[in-house]
Amino acid sequence: MKIHQSAVAGTFESSDLFVEVEPQPQFSLSVTSSATQFRDAVETQVRNILTKLHIENGQWRVTDSGALDCIIAARVETAALRGAELSALNWEEM
Amino acid sequence: MQIQYSIVSANSMLYQTAIEQLIASQGLRYESDIEYFCIAHNQQQVLVGCVGLAGHILKCFAIENNYQGAGISRAMVTEIILCAYQLHRKSLSIFTAPDKVSIFQSMGFTALTSLTRSSVLLVNRPEQLLALQHQLSRHKIIGKRIAAIEMNANPFTKGHAYLIEQAAQACDWVHVFVVREENKPFSFSDRLAMVRNGCQHLRNITVHEGNDYMISKRTFPSYFLKESHLVNQLHAEIDCEIFVRYIAPCLGITHRYIGSEPNCPITQNYNQVMMAMLPPQISVVEIKRLALSGISISASTVRNNLLNATTLVASLLPISTINYLIEHHGYALQI
C-alpha cells in the first residue's frame, strides 16, 4: 500500500489515538503518548500494523491518549486507507 | 454528560454574544481576527466551551468552570485542528498559560519558549523550526562581529540603506531579514527585491527571506494587530526568546542592529525588549534614524505620500527603490 495523499484518523479524546500521515518517499514515524510508560508499546503496535499493510512510505505522526490495542489498529488502518485512497482492506492479508 | 460540538464562523451573530461572555468569564479577551470557533453546548443548549482559529493560531480557549476536566478541551481541539487541516493549515501554534501547557503537549504540541512567562508558545510541527535552523546554518559566516537586522522595508528607504551600511562598516558580516508577512502596499516579493537591489554595492551582507519564527504572525501576532500593551510586551519577549535560542546560534550572531523609533509605540517597545533580553549573548546597537533636512526618514511617510508628494518621496528613497517603483508599480516619482 502506498501513501499518496495526506490523511488523518482518530481524535485527541481520552482512550483514543490521533494518526496523521503525509505523503513522502521515505518512511518516518513519531509517536507521543500521554501515558509515557506505554509510548514504546504503542510504537511497536503501530509499526506492526504498518508492516502488515506493506506500508513503506509517508511521514507518520501518532498522538496517543491511552488507546487500547484494538483502537490503535482501527485508527492506523483507517488513516492508511485514506492516505492510499482505498476503500477496503485486503482482509486475507491481515 | 452529553456535549455537542460544532464549528461556526466567528461572525455568526447567533453565537457571538455567548462566546464573548464565556471568553470574558475566563479572564481572556475576545480577539477580532478569529475566523472560526469550535463551540461546545450542553444538553440545555448552553455554551460551555470554545476555541478559536485565526490564521495558523489557536486562541481564545475557554471552558466554563463547572465543565473543566471533563474532556471537553480534547474534543474541541480535535475539531478545530481538523477544521484547520481542511483549510490546508497543517502547521499550527497556540499561546497559552503555563498551567495549560501539559494539556496541549499531550495533544501533539511542543513548547518553544520558557514556562516562566505568563504566555507560552507551542507548535505542532517543531521539525519546521529544525529545518529552518539547518537552512540558516548553511549561511553561517565565521567572524568577530556578525550582525542581524530585521526590517519590513515597506518600501526600502534611505533610512534602511543607512542602517545596513552602518552595520556593514562596523561588522564582518551582516544578515538582513525581510519580514515575510504580506503587507500593504508592497508584497513580500516586492520588498525583498527592493532590499536586494539596494544592497548590491555591499560585499559583506546576506539578504534572507523572513520566516515564520521572526516577527511573524506566528511568534508576534500583536505586531500586526492593535493589541493591549501587556499582550504586545509578552509577544515581543517571545519573539526575542526565539531569536536568542533558535535563530542567532545558527548564524553566530553577535550584534543586533536596530533603528531608533520616534513614532510607532509597538516598535519602540520591541526595541526596549530587545535591549533587555538579547544581552549578554548579543549586543544591541541602536542607530539614530537618518534625517534629511531635519525630518527623520520613515517608510510610513513614504507610504502616505506616494501618490501626491512625489518629489518629497523620491528624496527619501535610494535610486534602486525609485527605479523599482517606477518599473514595477508605475509610480510617477521625480528625482
Side-chain angles (χ1 to χ4, degrees), chain A residues 6 8 10-14 18 20 22 34 59 61 63 65, chain B residues 71 74-75 77-78 81-82 85 90 106-108 124-125 127:
Chain A
S6 46
V8 293
T11 74
F12 294 113
E13 284 168 61
S14 189
F18 190 76
E20 299 171 61
E22 311 249 356
S34 59
Q59 184 183 15
R61 194 188 306 269
T63 312
S65 308
Chain B
R74 298 185 149 266
V77 171
T78 305
I81 285 181
L82 291 179
Y85 282 5
K90 289 282 168 87
S106 71
M107 291 188 274
N124 71 340
R125 294 282 190 271
E127 67 273 14

PDB file of all heavy atoms in Angstrom, chain A residues 6 8 10-14 18 20 22 34 59 61 63 65, chain B residues 71 74-75 77-78 81-82 85 90 106-108 124-125 127:
ATOM      1  N   SER A   6      -2.386  13.221   2.001  1.00  0.00           N
ATOM      2  CA  SER A   6      -2.354  13.323   3.454  1.00  0.00           C
ATOM      3  C   SER A   6      -3.705  12.907   4.020  1.00  0.00           C
ATOM      4  O   SER A   6      -4.747  13.075   3.375  1.00  0.00           O
ATOM      5  CB  SER A   6      -1.959  14.729   3.907  1.00  0.00           C
ATOM      6  OG  SER A   6      -2.658  15.683   3.197  1.00  0.00           O
ATOM      7  N   VAL A   8      -5.908  11.882   7.987  1.00  0.00           N
ATOM      8  CA  VAL A   8      -5.937  11.799   9.441  1.00  0.00           C
ATOM      9  C   VAL A   8      -7.010  10.800   9.851  1.00  0.00           C
ATOM     10  O   VAL A   8      -7.934  10.516   9.088  1.00  0.00           O
ATOM     11  CB  VAL A   8      -6.252  13.161  10.116  1.00  0.00           C
ATOM     12  CG1 VAL A   8      -5.160  14.159   9.904  1.00  0.00           C
ATOM     13  CG2 VAL A   8      -7.569  13.711   9.617  1.00  0.00           C
ATOM     14  N   GLY A  10      -8.976   9.459  13.844  1.00  0.00           N
ATOM     15  CA  GLY A  10      -8.984   9.472  15.297  1.00  0.00           C
ATOM     16  C   GLY A  10      -9.182  10.846  15.894  1.00  0.00           C
ATOM     17  O   GLY A  10      -9.457  11.815  15.186  1.00  0.00           O
ATOM     18  N   THR A  11      -9.048  10.932  17.211  1.00  0.00           N
ATOM     19  CA  THR A  11      -9.223  12.195  17.938  1.00  0.00           C
ATOM     20  C   THR A  11      -8.191  12.265  19.062  1.00  0.00           C
ATOM     21  O   THR A  11      -7.432  11.316  19.274  1.00  0.00           O
ATOM     22  CB  THR A  11     -10.629  12.298  18.587  1.00  0.00           C
ATOM     23  OG1 THR A  11     -10.654  11.434  19.728  1.00  0.00           O
ATOM     24  CG2 THR A  11     -11.731  11.904  17.629  1.00  0.00           C
ATOM     25  N   PHE A  12      -8.194  13.401  19.780  1.00  0.00           N
ATOM     26  CA  PHE A  12      -7.326  13.548  20.953  1.00  0.00           C
ATOM     27  C   PHE A  12      -8.064  13.168  22.227  1.00  0.00           C
ATOM     28  O   PHE A  12      -7.569  13.397  23.319  1.00  0.00           O
ATOM     29  CB  PHE A  12      -6.845  14.994  21.072  1.00  0.00           C
ATOM     30  CG  PHE A  12      -5.940  15.418  19.956  1.00  0.00           C
ATOM     31  CD1 PHE A  12      -6.346  16.375  19.045  1.00  0.00           C
ATOM     32  CD2 PHE A  12      -4.686  14.865  19.824  1.00  0.00           C
ATOM     33  CE1 PHE A  12      -5.514  16.769  18.024  1.00  0.00           C
ATOM     34  CE2 PHE A  12      -3.847  15.263  18.799  1.00  0.00           C
ATOM     35  CZ  PHE A  12      -4.265  16.216  17.889  1.00  0.00           C
ATOM     36  N   GLU A  13      -9.269  12.638  22.088  1.00  0.00           N
ATOM     37  CA  GLU A  13     -10.036  12.344  23.288  1.00  0.00           C
ATOM     38  C   GLU A  13      -9.403  11.191  24.064  1.00  0.00           C
ATOM     39  O   GLU A  13      -8.655  10.395  23.503  1.00  0.00           O
ATOM     40  CB  GLU A  13     -11.492  12.033  22.918  1.00  0.00           C
ATOM     41  CG  GLU A  13     -12.247  13.302  22.569  1.00  0.00           C
ATOM     42  CD  GLU A  13     -13.588  13.035  21.924  1.00  0.00           C
ATOM     43  OE1 GLU A  13     -14.411  12.407  22.596  1.00  0.00           O
ATOM     44  OE2 GLU A  13     -13.787  13.447  20.775  1.00  0.00           O
ATOM     45  N   SER A  14      -9.737  11.121  25.346  1.00  0.00           N
ATOM     46  CA  SER A  14      -9.171  10.096  26.209  1.00  0.00           C
ATOM     47  C   SER A  14      -9.466   8.706  25.644  1.00  0.00           C
ATOM     48  O   SER A  14     -10.560   8.465  25.128  1.00  0.00           O
ATOM     49  CB  SER A  14      -9.767  10.249  27.598  1.00  0.00           C
ATOM     50  OG  SER A  14      -9.094   9.417  28.482  1.00  0.00           O
ATOM     51  N   PHE A  18      -4.725   9.640  17.738  1.00  0.00           N
ATOM     52  CA  PHE A  18      -4.822  10.551  16.598  1.00  0.00           C
ATOM     53  C   PHE A  18      -3.674  10.219  15.657  1.00  0.00           C
ATOM     54  O   PHE A  18      -2.507  10.246  16.065  1.00  0.00           O
ATOM     55  CB  PHE A  18      -4.743  11.997  17.080  1.00  0.00           C
ATOM     56  CG  PHE A  18      -5.072  13.019  16.023  1.00  0.00           C
ATOM     57  CD1 PHE A  18      -6.388  13.240  15.646  1.00  0.00           C
ATOM     58  CD2 PHE A  18      -4.067  13.768  15.413  1.00  0.00           C
ATOM     59  CE1 PHE A  18      -6.719  14.193  14.686  1.00  0.00           C
ATOM     60  CE2 PHE A  18      -4.386  14.719  14.446  1.00  0.00           C
ATOM     61  CZ  PHE A  18      -5.711  14.929  14.089  1.00  0.00           C
ATOM     62  N   GLU A  20      -1.825  10.947  11.915  1.00  0.00           N
ATOM     63  CA  GLU A  20      -1.707  11.818  10.746  1.00  0.00           C
ATOM     64  C   GLU A  20      -0.655  11.223   9.836  1.00  0.00           C
ATOM     65  O   GLU A  20       0.362  10.726  10.317  1.00  0.00           O
ATOM     66  CB  GLU A  20      -1.215  13.212  11.132  1.00  0.00           C
ATOM     67  CG  GLU A  20      -2.099  13.964  12.062  1.00  0.00           C
ATOM     68  CD  GLU A  20      -1.386  15.235  12.529  1.00  0.00           C
ATOM     69  OE1 GLU A  20      -1.068  16.074  11.676  1.00  0.00           O
ATOM     70  OE2 GLU A  20      -1.136  15.350  13.725  1.00  0.00           O
ATOM     71  N   GLU A  22       1.433  12.145   6.006  1.00  0.00           N
ATOM     72  CA  GLU A  22       1.655  12.989   4.836  1.00  0.00           C
ATOM     73  C   GLU A  22       2.472  12.175   3.845  1.00  0.00           C
ATOM     74  O   GLU A  22       3.368  11.442   4.258  1.00  0.00           O
ATOM     75  CB  GLU A  22       2.486  14.226   5.202  1.00  0.00           C
ATOM     76  CG  GLU A  22       1.980  14.953   6.401  1.00  0.00           C
ATOM     77  CD  GLU A  22       1.406  16.301   6.052  1.00  0.00           C
ATOM     78  OE1 GLU A  22       1.486  16.691   4.873  1.00  0.00           O
ATOM     79  OE2 GLU A  22       0.887  16.954   6.964  1.00  0.00           O
ATOM     80  N   SER A  34       0.274  10.238  26.031  1.00  0.00           N
ATOM     81  CA  SER A  34       0.019  10.874  27.323  1.00  0.00           C
ATOM     82  C   SER A  34       0.409   9.910  28.445  1.00  0.00           C
ATOM     83  O   SER A  34       0.716  10.332  29.546  1.00  0.00           O
ATOM     84  CB  SER A  34      -1.454  11.259  27.441  1.00  0.00           C
ATOM     85  OG  SER A  34      -2.253  10.108  27.307  1.00  0.00           O
ATOM     86  N   GLN A  59       5.075  10.257   6.072  1.00  0.00           N
ATOM     87  CA  GLN A  59       5.511  10.828   7.343  1.00  0.00           C
ATOM     88  C   GLN A  59       4.374  10.604   8.330  1.00  0.00           C
ATOM     89  O   GLN A  59       3.334  11.250   8.240  1.00  0.00           O
ATOM     90  CB  GLN A  59       5.810  12.320   7.167  1.00  0.00           C
ATOM     91  CG  GLN A  59       6.355  12.959   8.408  1.00  0.00           C
ATOM     92  CD  GLN A  59       6.575  14.439   8.227  1.00  0.00           C
ATOM     93  OE1 GLN A  59       6.076  15.046   7.285  1.00  0.00           O
ATOM     94  NE2 GLN A  59       7.299  15.050   9.133  1.00  0.00           N
ATOM     95  N   ARG A  61       2.616  10.440  12.074  1.00  0.00           N
ATOM     96  CA  ARG A  61       2.688  11.159  13.343  1.00  0.00           C
ATOM     97  C   ARG A  61       1.521  10.631  14.187  1.00  0.00           C
ATOM     98  O   ARG A  61       0.369  10.746  13.783  1.00  0.00           O
ATOM     99  CB  ARG A  61       2.490  12.639  13.038  1.00  0.00           C
ATOM    100  CG  ARG A  61       2.834  13.600  14.112  1.00  0.00           C
ATOM    101  CD  ARG A  61       2.375  14.977  13.649  1.00  0.00           C
ATOM    102  NE  ARG A  61       2.920  15.318  12.348  1.00  0.00           N
ATOM    103  CZ  ARG A  61       4.061  15.970  12.192  1.00  0.00           C
ATOM    104  NH1 ARG A  61       4.740  16.365  13.224  1.00  0.00           N
ATOM    105  NH2 ARG A  61       4.488  16.263  10.981  1.00  0.00           N
ATOM    106  N   THR A  63      -0.391  10.498  17.937  1.00  0.00           N
ATOM    107  CA  THR A  63      -0.543  11.074  19.276  1.00  0.00           C
ATOM    108  C   THR A  63      -1.524  10.204  20.049  1.00  0.00           C
ATOM    109  O   THR A  63      -2.703  10.155  19.723  1.00  0.00           O
ATOM    110  CB  THR A  63      -1.073  12.517  19.181  1.00  0.00           C
ATOM    111  OG1 THR A  63      -0.296  13.221  18.216  1.00  0.00           O
ATOM    112  CG2 THR A  63      -0.979  13.224  20.513  1.00  0.00           C
ATOM    113  N   SER A  65      -3.653   8.960  23.348  1.00  0.00           N
ATOM    114  CA  SER A  65      -4.248   9.426  24.604  1.00  0.00           C
ATOM    115  C   SER A  65      -4.729   8.231  25.427  1.00  0.00           C
ATOM    116  O   SER A  65      -5.804   8.253  26.011  1.00  0.00           O
ATOM    117  CB  SER A  65      -5.410  10.386  24.328  1.00  0.00           C
ATOM    118  OG  SER A  65      -5.008  11.414  23.462  1.00  0.00           O
TER     119      SER A  65
ATOM    120  N   GLY B  71     -12.934  16.499  29.705  1.00  0.00           N
ATOM    121  CA  GLY B  71     -12.527  16.051  28.379  1.00  0.00           C
ATOM    122  C   GLY B  71     -13.049  16.915  27.245  1.00  0.00           C
ATOM    123  O   GLY B  71     -12.920  16.556  26.078  1.00  0.00           O
ATOM    124  N   ARG B  74     -10.189  18.299  24.871  1.00  0.00           N
ATOM    125  CA  ARG B  74      -9.635  17.358  23.887  1.00  0.00           C
ATOM    126  C   ARG B  74     -10.542  17.236  22.662  1.00  0.00           C
ATOM    127  O   ARG B  74     -10.073  17.234  21.530  1.00  0.00           O
ATOM    128  CB  ARG B  74      -9.434  15.991  24.531  1.00  0.00           C
ATOM    129  CG  ARG B  74      -8.448  16.067  25.672  1.00  0.00           C
ATOM    130  CD  ARG B  74      -8.137  14.719  26.256  1.00  0.00           C
ATOM    131  NE  ARG B  74      -6.779  14.750  26.751  1.00  0.00           N
ATOM    132  CZ  ARG B  74      -5.741  14.356  26.055  1.00  0.00           C
ATOM    133  NH1 ARG B  74      -5.902  13.847  24.857  1.00  0.00           N
ATOM    134  NH2 ARG B  74      -4.525  14.455  26.538  1.00  0.00           N
ATOM    135  N   ALA B  75     -11.846  17.178  22.920  1.00  0.00           N
ATOM    136  CA  ALA B  75     -12.780  17.074  21.793  1.00  0.00           C
ATOM    137  C   ALA B  75     -12.768  18.354  20.966  1.00  0.00           C
ATOM    138  O   ALA B  75     -12.762  18.312  19.729  1.00  0.00           O
ATOM    139  CB  ALA B  75     -14.180  16.787  22.321  1.00  0.00           C
ATOM    140  N   VAL B  77     -10.344  20.635  20.701  1.00  0.00           N
ATOM    141  CA  VAL B  77      -9.087  20.822  19.964  1.00  0.00           C
ATOM    142  C   VAL B  77      -9.056  19.889  18.746  1.00  0.00           C
ATOM    143  O   VAL B  77      -8.610  20.278  17.665  1.00  0.00           O
ATOM    144  CB  VAL B  77      -7.874  20.625  20.901  1.00  0.00           C
ATOM    145  CG1 VAL B  77      -6.584  20.594  20.101  1.00  0.00           C
ATOM    146  CG2 VAL B  77      -7.829  21.748  21.923  1.00  0.00           C
ATOM    147  N   THR B  78      -9.564  18.664  18.907  1.00  0.00           N
ATOM    148  CA  THR B  78      -9.638  17.761  17.753  1.00  0.00           C
ATOM    149  C   THR B  78     -10.420  18.415  16.618  1.00  0.00           C
ATOM    150  O   THR B  78      -9.965  18.464  15.472  1.00  0.00           O
ATOM    151  CB  THR B  78     -10.347  16.441  18.129  1.00  0.00           C
ATOM    152  OG1 THR B  78      -9.689  15.863  19.243  1.00  0.00           O
ATOM    153  CG2 THR B  78     -10.330  15.471  16.966  1.00  0.00           C
ATOM    154  N   ILE B  81      -8.647  21.452  15.046  1.00  0.00           N
ATOM    155  CA  ILE B  81      -7.469  21.044  14.263  1.00  0.00           C
ATOM    156  C   ILE B  81      -7.923  20.428  12.937  1.00  0.00           C
ATOM    157  O   ILE B  81      -7.362  20.718  11.871  1.00  0.00           O
ATOM    158  CB  ILE B  81      -6.584  20.068  15.070  1.00  0.00           C
ATOM    159  CG1 ILE B  81      -5.825  20.853  16.132  1.00  0.00           C
ATOM    160  CG2 ILE B  81      -5.617  19.317  14.166  1.00  0.00           C
ATOM    161  CD1 ILE B  81      -4.900  20.036  16.984  1.00  0.00           C
ATOM    162  N   LEU B  82      -8.973  19.614  12.976  1.00  0.00           N
ATOM    163  CA  LEU B  82      -9.483  19.037  11.719  1.00  0.00           C
ATOM    164  C   LEU B  82      -9.988  20.145  10.805  1.00  0.00           C
ATOM    165  O   LEU B  82      -9.791  20.116   9.593  1.00  0.00           O
ATOM    166  CB  LEU B  82     -10.595  18.030  12.007  1.00  0.00           C
ATOM    167  CG  LEU B  82     -10.129  16.742  12.701  1.00  0.00           C
ATOM    168  CD1 LEU B  82     -11.311  15.829  12.973  1.00  0.00           C
ATOM    169  CD2 LEU B  82      -9.074  16.020  11.878  1.00  0.00           C
ATOM    170  N   TYR B  85      -6.994  21.704   9.260  1.00  0.00           N
ATOM    171  CA  TYR B  85      -6.426  20.829   8.231  1.00  0.00           C
ATOM    172  C   TYR B  85      -7.216  20.932   6.934  1.00  0.00           C
ATOM    173  O   TYR B  85      -6.655  20.905   5.850  1.00  0.00           O
ATOM    174  CB  TYR B  85      -6.416  19.378   8.710  1.00  0.00           C
ATOM    175  CG  TYR B  85      -5.311  19.039   9.681  1.00  0.00           C
ATOM    176  CD1 TYR B  85      -4.463  20.029  10.152  1.00  0.00           C
ATOM    177  CD2 TYR B  85      -5.110  17.742  10.119  1.00  0.00           C
ATOM    178  CE1 TYR B  85      -3.459  19.729  11.045  1.00  0.00           C
ATOM    179  CE2 TYR B  85      -4.095  17.434  11.012  1.00  0.00           C
ATOM    180  CZ  TYR B  85      -3.281  18.424  11.471  1.00  0.00           C
ATOM    181  OH  TYR B  85      -2.280  18.121  12.352  1.00  0.00           O
ATOM    182  N   LYS B  90      -1.618  23.111   8.163  1.00  0.00           N
ATOM    183  CA  LYS B  90      -1.143  21.953   8.908  1.00  0.00           C
ATOM    184  C   LYS B  90      -0.309  22.372  10.104  1.00  0.00           C
ATOM    185  O   LYS B  90      -0.264  21.703  11.120  1.00  0.00           O
ATOM    186  CB  LYS B  90      -0.287  21.058   7.998  1.00  0.00           C
ATOM    187  CG  LYS B  90      -1.093  20.327   6.943  1.00  0.00           C
ATOM    188  CD  LYS B  90      -1.810  19.150   7.538  1.00  0.00           C
ATOM    189  CE  LYS B  90      -2.843  18.547   6.633  1.00  0.00           C
ATOM    190  NZ  LYS B  90      -2.335  17.554   5.728  1.00  0.00           N
ATOM    191  N   SER B 106       0.054  16.960  25.468  1.00  0.00           N
ATOM    192  CA  SER B 106      -0.498  15.617  25.271  1.00  0.00           C
ATOM    193  C   SER B 106      -1.319  15.540  23.988  1.00  0.00           C
ATOM    194  O   SER B 106      -1.771  14.475  23.601  1.00  0.00           O
ATOM    195  CB  SER B 106      -1.352  15.210  26.469  1.00  0.00           C
ATOM    196  OG  SER B 106      -2.540  15.969  26.476  1.00  0.00           O
ATOM    197  N   MET B 107      -1.525  16.687  23.315  1.00  0.00           N
ATOM    198  CA  MET B 107      -2.239  16.664  22.039  1.00  0.00           C
ATOM    199  C   MET B 107      -1.288  16.980  20.885  1.00  0.00           C
ATOM    200  O   MET B 107      -1.701  17.520  19.856  1.00  0.00           O
ATOM    201  CB  MET B 107      -3.410  17.643  22.083  1.00  0.00           C
ATOM    202  CG  MET B 107      -4.489  17.156  23.048  1.00  0.00           C
ATOM    203  SD  MET B 107      -5.995  18.105  22.998  1.00  0.00           S
ATOM    204  CE  MET B 107      -5.657  19.417  24.128  1.00  0.00           C
ATOM    205  N   GLY B 108      -0.026  16.668  21.059  1.00  0.00           N
ATOM    206  CA  GLY B 108       0.922  16.749  19.958  1.00  0.00           C
ATOM    207  C   GLY B 108       1.600  18.099  19.785  1.00  0.00           C
ATOM    208  O   GLY B 108       2.265  18.317  18.780  1.00  0.00           O
ATOM    209  N   ASN B 124       2.780  22.608  16.647  1.00  0.00           N
ATOM    210  CA  ASN B 124       2.565  21.182  16.402  1.00  0.00           C
ATOM    211  C   ASN B 124       3.513  20.626  15.339  1.00  0.00           C
ATOM    212  O   ASN B 124       3.467  19.454  15.032  1.00  0.00           O
ATOM    213  CB  ASN B 124       1.099  20.903  16.028  1.00  0.00           C
ATOM    214  CG  ASN B 124       0.746  21.424  14.657  1.00  0.00           C
ATOM    215  OD1 ASN B 124       1.436  22.292  14.121  1.00  0.00           O
ATOM    216  ND2 ASN B 124      -0.332  20.920  14.080  1.00  0.00           N
ATOM    217  N   ARG B 125       4.346  21.485  14.750  1.00  0.00           N
ATOM    218  CA  ARG B 125       5.327  21.000  13.766  1.00  0.00           C
ATOM    219  C   ARG B 125       6.708  21.537  14.130  1.00  0.00           C
ATOM    220  O   ARG B 125       7.283  22.341  13.395  1.00  0.00           O
ATOM    221  CB  ARG B 125       4.973  21.483  12.354  1.00  0.00           C
ATOM    222  CG  ARG B 125       3.670  20.916  11.788  1.00  0.00           C
ATOM    223  CD  ARG B 125       3.867  19.492  11.306  1.00  0.00           C
ATOM    224  NE  ARG B 125       2.697  19.037  10.562  1.00  0.00           N
ATOM    225  CZ  ARG B 125       1.646  18.446  11.107  1.00  0.00           C
ATOM    226  NH1 ARG B 125       1.608  18.270  12.419  1.00  0.00           N
ATOM    227  NH2 ARG B 125       0.631  18.050  10.371  1.00  0.00           N
ATOM    228  N   GLU B 127       9.482  20.312  13.837  1.00  0.00           N
ATOM    229  CA  GLU B 127      10.532  19.965  12.873  1.00  0.00           C
ATOM    230  C   GLU B 127      10.720  21.062  11.832  1.00  0.00           C
ATOM    231  O   GLU B 127      11.775  21.160  11.213  1.00  0.00           O
ATOM    232  CB  GLU B 127      10.256  18.615  12.214  1.00  0.00           C
ATOM    233  CG  GLU B 127       9.042  18.552  11.305  1.00  0.00           C
ATOM    234  CD  GLU B 127       7.752  18.238  12.055  1.00  0.00           C
ATOM    235  OE1 GLU B 127       7.752  18.332  13.308  1.00  0.00           O
ATOM    236  OE2 GLU B 127       6.750  17.926  11.399  1.00  0.00           O
TER     237      GLU B 127
END
